[in-house]
């Protein structure tokens, strides 16, 4: 985490440690095809359909919302979504998801990040997806002298990008185990990873304004990771689309917004007091919509039910 300037007396604003992520909202060109993918390939359930929007999840709160715009352009070389990450509650459930992808012969890229076991894929319209399980007992990562460093639990240096030992992972499953089951109800959105135009201005927004803690920031990587409550990251930021990349068109395919869920209405109002004084906002049925300096949409809401 960055330290305050010498002599600074102002207490740093920090977002509530119980803050988590909620639904990711995408604009898609072919709603029926996309819904079929998320149900049949990933195992999400359709919660409801309203006009041109479908909400999906695992039976509780929504994890994903898809809105159709058939004539929307597909932006390239812009800011926006790099991937959104679905967090499975156990290594066993990740094994089921990976085995399902293999059984369907759907292309994906299993990777060992030490602290997480993961696989990467894209939906039929090119939106990046990560499926992962947390494995903090296996090691940690950080930045030492500006370099990204990963060590396993035995202290051995690792790249953090090695291929996943899929054979070992699949041993979590019993022979003949069903692979077509829906994702379990404990599944959540673990993090989102965004293309931004510049890391420093992104950190001024997510760290200084919203109060997420910086877990890692590396000029060498062109990336930074911020979170609430000490998690490895809730939001990833990178300049891999190019320093100064332009924002996508507002009517383009891809990310509409992702959701930050504050644990109480009091905590939501505490963040909104800062946000409303700093950037334009829009009240929506889902929550308060604002945009980061790269025009990525964020909806702020609360886990507390609204009293009627």
């Amino acid at each position: 985490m960055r330290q305050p300037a010498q002599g600074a007396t102002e207490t740093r604003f920090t977002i509530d440690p119980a803050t988590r992520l909620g639904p990711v909202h995408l604009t898609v060109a072919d709603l029926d095809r996309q819904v079929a993918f998320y149900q049949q390939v990933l195992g999400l359930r359709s919660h409801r359909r309203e006009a041109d929007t479908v909400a999906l999840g695992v039976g509780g709160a929504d994890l994903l919302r898809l809105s159709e715009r058939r004539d929307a352009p597909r932006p390239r070389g812009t800011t926006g979504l790099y991937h959104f990450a679905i967090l499975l509650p156990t290594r066993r459930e990740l094994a089921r998801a990976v085995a399902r992808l293999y059984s369907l012969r759907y292309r994906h890229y299993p990777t060992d990040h030490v602290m997480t076991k993961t696989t990467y894929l894209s939906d039929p319209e090119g939106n990046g997806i990560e499926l992962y399980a947390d494995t903090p007992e296996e090691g940690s990562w950080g930045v030492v002298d500006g370099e990204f460093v990963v060590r396993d639990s035995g202290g051995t240096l690792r790249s953090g990008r090695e291929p996943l030992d899929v054979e070992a992972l699949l041993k979590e499953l019993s022979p003949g185990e069903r692979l077509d089951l829906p994702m379990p109800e404990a599944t959540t959105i673990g993090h989102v990873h965004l293309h931004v135009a510049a890391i420093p201005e992104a950190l001024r927004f997510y760290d200084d304004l919203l109060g997420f803690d910086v877990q890692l920031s590396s000029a060498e990587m062109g990336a930074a990771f911020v979170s609430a409550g000490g998690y490895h990251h809730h939001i990833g930021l990178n300049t891999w689309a190019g320093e100064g990349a332009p924002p996508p068109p507002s009517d383009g395919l891809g990310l509409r917004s992702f959701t930050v869920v504050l644990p109480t209405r009091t905590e939501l109002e505490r963040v909104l007091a800062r946000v409303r004084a700093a950037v334009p906002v829009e009240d929506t049925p889902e929550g308060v919509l604002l945009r980061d300096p790269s025009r990525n949409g964020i909806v702020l809401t609360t886990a507390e039910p609204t009293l009627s």
Side-chain angles (χ1 to χ4, degrees):
M1 185 169 61
R2 294 183 301 173
Q3 299 299 316
Q6 188 173 4
T9 58
E10 183 180 356
T11 302
R12 178 185 174 276
F13 181 83
T14 302
I15 203 163
D16 190 280
T19 299
R20 58 179 176 82
L21 295 192
V24 173
H25 194 168
L26 304 177
T27 299
V28 302
D30 188 330
L31 185 60
D32 289 339
R33 183 179 68 164
Q34 290 288 84
V35 169
F37 164 82
Y38 282 102
Q39 288 181 304
Q40 297 167 15
V41 178
L42 294 194
L44 295 181
R45 309 172 196 176
S46 178
H47 287 173
R48 65 190 178 281
R49 182 165 187 155
E50 300 170 354
D52 62 353
T53 297
V54 172
L56 300 109
V58 290
D62 297 342
L63 298 184
L64 184 65
R65 295 176 185 144
L66 306 175
S67 294
E68 185 175 66
R69 186 176 287 155
R70 285 192 167 271
D71 58 351
R74 164 61 68 182
R76 303 292 181 187
T78 69
T79 59
L81 183 70
Y82 180 57
H83 65 244
F84 68 93
I86 297 176
L87 173 60
L88 282 302
T90 64
R91 195 187 303 237
R92 176 185 175 84
E93 291 299 337
L94 176 63
R96 190 191 310 277
V98 167
R100 182 179 186 141
L101 293 172
Y102 279 116
S103 72
L104 296 172
R105 298 185 178 182
Y106 199 91
R107 181 175 294 179
H108 64 110
Y109 303 93
T111 306
D112 188 347
H113 291 314
V114 181
M115 286 182 66
T116 67
K117 308 303 179 193
T118 188
T119 196
Y120 294 97
L121 63 154
S122 296
D123 72 15
E125 295 190 6
N127 297 296
I129 304 164
E130 179 181 352
L131 307 178
Y132 78 108
D134 281 324
T135 54
E137 71 280 0
E138 296 205 0
S140 61
W141 48 254
V143 173
V144 178
D145 296 329
E147 294 187 4
F148 181 60
V149 175
V150 181
R151 293 185 185 273
D152 64 23
S153 57
T156 301
L157 283 171
R158 301 274 297 276
S159 76
R161 303 178 184 90
E162 292 109 334
L164 181 63
D165 186 341
V166 173
E167 183 177 354
L169 178 68
L170 296 184
K171 288 180 180 177
E172 298 282 339
L173 301 175
S174 304
E177 191 155 352
R178 287 185 61 183
L179 304 179
D180 60 346
L181 298 175
M183 283 187 168
E185 292 185 359
T187 301
T188 62
I189 296 296
H191 63 267
V192 296
H193 197 151
L194 306 171
H195 291 295
V196 298
I199 297 298
E201 70 174 5
L203 289 180
R204 284 192 290 273
F205 179 87
Y206 288 102
D207 178 23
D208 297 343
L209 177 60
L210 294 186
F212 285 97
D213 293 325
V214 179
Q215 300 300 324
L216 184 154
S217 181
S218 170
E220 177 194 28
M221 292 175 62
F225 300 96
V226 303
S227 76
Y231 191 57
H232 51 75
H233 68 301
H234 286 114
I235 303 168
L237 309 162
N238 74 66
T239 53
W240 302 336
E243 289 277 353
S250 60
D251 62 348
L253 298 176
L255 182 69
R256 284 197 178 193
S257 64
F258 67 95
T259 309
V260 174
V261 183
L262 281 299
T264 66
R265 187 156 298 280
T266 298
E267 287 301 321
L268 174 63
E269 292 301 328
R270 191 172 72 97
V271 174
L272 287 178
R274 295 172 57 80
V275 167
R276 292 186 190 279
V279 296
V281 301
E282 176 186 350
D283 291 313
T284 75
E286 289 74 34
V288 177
L289 173 67
L290 59 152
R291 297 191 180 277
D292 72 13
S294 297
R295 305 301 296 162
N296 296 304
I298 305 102
V299 171
L300 300 178
T301 188
T302 178
E304 275 190 343
T306 301
L307 298 178
S308 57

